[in-house]
């Protein structure tokens, strides 16, 4: 199985010399993305047609090409979620 590294950076809303960018790093398996997707779809039905989690491979294919493709798809998935929730304030 593959472990995905997620890095989230947050810059301060107001520029202040004392405030610095914050960063969180976490490690997740694809099954955890799948659980997140199910939760989001249950709580926010209007997102069902907007977000698209990549399909889980039935084969244990961990070639570099497949890993890079999945990495891009997961990044796109997280970006769409982030944008949706940032704009819904």
């Amino acid at each position: 199985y593959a472990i995905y590294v997620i890095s989230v950076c947050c810059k301060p809303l107001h520029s202040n010399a004392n405030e610095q960018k914050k960063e969180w790093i976490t490690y997740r398996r694809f099954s955890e993305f799948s659980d997140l997707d199910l939760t989001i779809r249950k709580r926010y039905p209007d997102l069902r047609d907007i977000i698209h989690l990549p399909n889980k491979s039935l084969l244990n294919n961990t070639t570099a090409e497949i890993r890079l493709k999945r990495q891009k798809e997961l990044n796109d998935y997280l970006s769409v979620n982030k944008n949706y929730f940032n704009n819904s304030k």
Side-chain angles (χ1 to χ4, degrees):
Y1 61 88
I3 300 288
Y4 298 92
V5 179
I6 298 110
S7 172
V8 178
C9 296
C10 179
K11 62 182 178 182
L13 291 175
H14 308 287
S15 60
N16 180 339
N18 296 330
E19 290 186 281
Q20 294 186 11
K21 175 178 77 168
K22 295 184 182 192
E23 181 179 17
W24 295 268
I25 297 176
T26 188
Y27 305 87
R28 296 288 182 252
R29 292 181 61 176
F30 186 81
S31 61
E32 293 173 286
F33 285 102
S34 184
D35 293 343
L36 172 66
D37 188 61
L38 287 173
T39 300
I40 289 172
R41 288 172 183 275
K42 284 180 186 175
R43 289 188 185 169
Y44 305 96
D46 53 325
L47 275 176
R48 288 182 183 152
D49 294 330
I50 299 171
I51 60 172
H52 302 287
L53 185 67
N55 293 326
K56 184 170 183 172
S57 175
L58 296 177
L59 303 172
N60 191 12
N61 195 338
T62 56
T63 64
E65 181 182 345
I66 297 296
R67 286 193 316 254
L68 288 173
K69 180 179 183 284
R70 172 70 56 83
Q71 178 183 355
K72 183 195 177 317
E73 291 171 342
L74 287 172
N75 189 59
D76 292 347
Y77 173 81
L78 292 172
S79 293
V80 168
N81 278 297
K82 176 191 70 81
N83 292 337
Y84 176 84
F85 289 107
N86 278 348
N87 293 329
S88 66
K89 292 179 183 180

